[in-house]
Each structure stands twice: as structure tokens, then as C-alpha cells.
Amino acid sequence: MPAKSDMFTFAAIGDLHIKEDRTSLFRELFAEISTKAEVLVLCGDLTDVGKPREAEVLAEDLRACSIPVVGVLGNHDYESGQADDVEKILKAAGMHLLNGHSYETNGVAFVGVKGFIGGFGRRMLASFGETVVKSFVAESVSEAMRLENAMRAVRNERAVVVLHYAPILDTVEGEPLEIFPFLGSSRLSETIDRFKVSAVVHGHAHHGRYQGHTPRGAPVYNVAFPVEKSTGRPYALIKV
């Protein structure tokens, strides 16, 4: 069916894994995206090992992007223990980091958290046993609660949830079964399904599947860089 005249198009991509050596430049890609979408969404693992210089390389390339940029950090962005510095550099470059916050434009609210791991469905890790296991589960619950609190503040008709970790099993299929619990958590989809959500985007599962749905039908897109998308490009174009 033809798109409605008030449809809003955003681009989404995750897992850029930008390195200090500048072997992969994203300037041309960001410039291209600027001609096709109204907002660019970055779904975590923006840097390779979370070094400030890697964030500076991304910040330089983002100058080619003439539309608003929103997103979340991923696990790689925390690797060097300098996530606060990475965040400051990207914010100074104009990126809106959705760490439990939202960004609104043209009637669409983008709401984001990093998310966390823990598994899916009946096989999610439970808060039982050793203290370290309970702490692990508490982090997963905390991320879901932060998403819920952010969603409760949204008054827009259309909302897009931005994550790094996957909220459903469908979009991690294709990855080795052994690592499924480390790719995301159903706690995120449980939160999403309490609200009216137009689309969900995430990364992290490099060999997963592009599209799936939450149990209540919210469309979910795995936009990790290596995942094949309907655009034939490294980024997805999604209409809400």
C-alpha cells in the first residue's frame, strides 16, 4: 500500500565498531542517509573498544550528517571503562544519547536504553542462588525499568524504542544457540508491550534476523551493520 502522507522515515544502524585507525569512514554513508531519512538512529557498539579517540573519529564523521542523530551505547562502548568520556564526546558532536531518556521530533518520540542480557521467554535467568547471579539479573531488570519509566513520560502517538540488546528471540535467530542468553532479554519486550510502540530497533546480534515482532505485535528490527536489510544498504529505512 502507498505510504501515508504523514509517515515519518528514520534510518537505523548499529554496531559500527569504529576504530582509531580510521580504516572505515562513515562520512559518505551518513551523508547518503541524510537525503533519505528524517532522523538517524545508532543502536550501540558505536566504538570498537570504547576509547575516546574512537568516539572522536565518529564525531568527525557525523559532521556529514545533516539530520538529527539519536542512539544508545552498546557493550563495546563500555569495554575500556571510559563510557562517560565517549558519551561526552558524542553529545558535544550533537548526538542525542537516549540513556533512559527520549527525543521528540515531528510527533515521534525516540526512547532508548542499552538493555542487557539474560535470555528469552521461560528460559530467562531467574534471580535465584548466588549473589552474583542475583546482581546479574538485577541489572537486566533495572534496564527494563528504566525503559518503562522513560515510556511513561511519552505523550506522542508514535514511539520508537531504541536498544542495543535484543528484546525478542526472533531477531537473534541465526546466531549460535549457545550465545542466545547473551544477546538480549525478554524483560525488554515485556516492558515494550505495556505501551503503544510503533517500532523497536536494536543491534548486537551480528548474524541474527532482520525482522520480528514482540508477543503483542510491535515490529522489531535488528539493524546491526552486518545484517542484511531490505534497503540493500548497511542501514534500515523504517516508516512509522
Side-chain angles (χ1 to χ4, degrees):
M1 295 180 63
K4 296 179 181 178
S5 59
D6 64 345
M7 292 293 272
F8 181 96
T9 302
F10 69 93
I13 186 171
D15 304 87
L16 302 178
H17 292 282
I18 288 178
K19 298 178 174 61
E20 294 178 272
D21 59 14
R22 302 183 63 85
T23 53
S24 296
L25 294 178
F26 286 88
R27 290 176 188 171
E28 291 185 4
L29 189 68
F30 292 153
E32 175 186 325
I33 288 170
S34 297
T35 68
K36 298 178 180 296
E38 297 173 66
V39 168
L40 169 60
V41 178
L42 299 179
C43 292
D45 282 1
L46 310 180
T47 63
D48 197 45
V49 291
K51 292 183 177 180
R53 178 54 190 153
E54 295 171 338
E56 290 170 355
V57 171
L58 174 57
E60 292 167 12
D61 287 349
L62 282 174
R63 292 176 183 169
C65 191
S66 59
I67 57 177
V69 182
V70 305
V72 296
L73 299 184
N75 56 307
H76 276 248
D77 302 313
Y78 284 81
E79 167 62 20
S80 297
Q82 300 179 81
D84 287 346
D85 292 333
V86 168
E87 187 170 324
K88 288 176 184 177
I89 291 165
L90 296 179
K91 282 183 175 179
M95 181 176 173
H96 302 275
L97 279 163
L98 309 175
N99 190 11
H101 306 288
S102 66
Y103 172 81
E104 300 179 10
T105 181
N106 292 342
V108 180
F110 292 86
V111 186
V113 298
K114 174 174 59 65
F116 199 55
I117 58 184
F120 302 93
R122 295 171 58 190
R123 294 175 176 84
M124 275 193 301
L125 185 64
S127 183
F128 182 87
E130 297 93 329
T131 299
V132 67
V133 173
K134 292 176 180 176
S135 297
F136 186 98
V137 174
E139 179 67 17
S140 183
V141 171
S142 175
E143 285 292 288
M145 287 299 299
R146 288 171 68 245
L147 176 59
E148 179 163 347
N149 290 337
M151 285 298 302
R152 288 190 183 280
V154 171
R155 297 293 179 263
N156 303 65
E157 281 294 315
R158 291 173 288 182
V160 175
V161 172
V162 182
L163 305 167
H164 178 60
Y165 289 96
I168 59 171
L169 188 61
D170 290 356
T171 51
V172 305
E173 289 180 351
E175 295 279 4
L177 289 173
E178 294 85 353
I179 69 169
F180 275 20
F182 308 111
L183 296 174
S185 169
S186 291
R187 289 186 174 90
L188 294 165
S189 66
E190 290 172 358
T191 296
I192 290 164
D193 277 343
R194 294 189 184 103
F195 302 91
K196 181 181 177 182
V197 172
S198 300
V200 183
V201 288
H202 73 85
H204 195 50
H206 291 201
H207 304 288
R209 198 152 57 91
Y210 173 57
Q211 190 170 0
H213 293 84
T214 65
R216 292 196 175 181
V220 179
Y221 303 91
N222 175 3
V223 297
F225 190 95
V227 171
E228 185 176 348
K229 304 168 183 72
S230 57
T231 57
R233 302 291 288 145
Y235 57 87
L237 288 175
I238 300 167
K239 295 181 182 295
V240 295

